[in-house]
Amino acid sequence: MAEVRVDFTVSAEKRILTIIDKIMESIEDVGMYGLENDLDEESGKLEVSADAVDLAGVCGWMAIIQKGFNENDIGAFSIKAKGVTDNDYYSYTAFEILCDNKEIKIREADFDGEPSEEAEDGDWDDRMCEYEGKEEETFEELAKEEYRKVDEDDIYYDDDEYDAAVEAIKDSADYDDSEEDTDEDFDEED
């Protein structure tokens, strides 16, 4: 059985990132992902790593966030996620996702890698060093591509994840203090 993993960074306005951080924690509570998230408020980024999640799962999490924010009147928002899924057998997918209150768009590209000499068998902490810079080349090529709208087939999430996310939104201290954001687009050259 193939093992998949994803590592990605979420960029958004600080109050939105704080809520997303709480959402990811709530999803971890109902799922079995080995999900880890680290919010760096200074850089305005949320680092997320999870096992047993593919790109459809990440798109599902963006759909959960979008639906939860829209149904709970968070206001206008703009989120960017950028990362790599490890599809196993040295096959990877680099992706960038843009999500706002109206749509979710994605661009993605597959690439292959080989184990680096530093990576030891079974050392999953170092598994991402297997692609040794190939993801950077892939992201450079991705920057030349157009985003496409995410199809329903590209999205997967469990109802329990959505319910947990809504609770996290409602429990968030920022929920009561939500203010209108601007529809600012992120610099695609992160």
Side-chain angles (χ1 to χ4, degrees):
M1 182 170 122
E3 300 248 350
V4 295
R5 177 179 173 81
V6 65
D7 292 291
F8 63 99
T9 302
V10 179
S11 304
E13 186 223 324
K14 181 180 174 182
R15 76 175 179 92
I16 297 296
L17 272 183
T18 301
I19 298 171
I20 294 171
D21 185 44
K22 293 178 189 317
I23 289 171
M24 298 311 292
E25 288 173 3
S26 70
I27 288 172
E28 169 61 14
D29 289 344
V30 298
M32 299 185 61
Y33 304 112
L35 195 146
E36 296 177 14
N37 43 307
D38 181 31
L39 177 60
D40 183 346
E41 292 184 9
E42 282 186 32
S43 71
K45 296 190 185 293
L46 174 65
E47 301 286 336
V48 180
S49 296
D51 296 322
V53 177
D54 59 9
L55 193 50
V58 177
C59 289
W61 291 341
M62 290 296 124
I64 286 171
I65 291 165
Q66 180 190 56
K67 183 177 176 183
F69 281 8
N70 285 340
E71 290 181 356
N72 289 282
D73 299 321
I74 294 299
F77 60 90
S78 184
I79 302 164
K80 180 177 182 180
K82 178 179 179 177
V84 175
T85 61
D86 178 344
N87 306 317
D88 207 18
Y89 305 111
Y90 312 118
S91 170
Y92 305 92
T93 302
F95 65 89
E96 294 179 335
I97 300 172
L98 296 178
C99 175
D100 61 24
N101 50 322
K102 296 179 180 101
E103 64 184 351
I104 303 171
K105 299 186 295 187
I106 188 171
R107 57 186 177 192
E108 61 188 288
D110 296 328
F111 65 97
D112 294 322
E114 296 177 12
S116 70
E117 293 179 15
E118 296 85 32
E120 297 177 21
D121 287 339
D123 189 355
W124 298 112
D125 289 335
D126 290 335
R127 72 195 276 173
M128 289 306 207
C129 72
E130 293 170 358
Y131 49 68
E132 293 186 317
K134 289 186 180 180
E135 84 284 7
E136 293 172 14
E137 295 169 18
T138 306
F139 280 119
E140 287 173 12
E141 290 301 312
L142 259 186
K144 300 173 189 173
E145 300 295 322
E146 295 291 321
Y147 284 92
R148 67 173 172 81
K149 187 174 179 180
V150 172
D151 298 323
E152 288 298 316
D153 294 344
D154 295 330
I155 296 173
Y156 173 79
Y157 66 86
D158 190 71
D159 289 341
D160 289 345
E161 294 174 331
Y162 176 73
D163 294 342
V166 169
E167 285 303 311
I169 291 168
K170 289 180 178 179
D171 290 344
S172 172
D174 293 324
Y175 177 73
D176 294 332
D177 190 41
S178 65
E179 54 193 49
E180 291 291 319
D181 289 345
T182 60
D183 268 337
E184 123 188 18
D185 291 329
F186 286 96
D187 181 10
E188 294 177 10
E189 308 242 351
D190 253 37

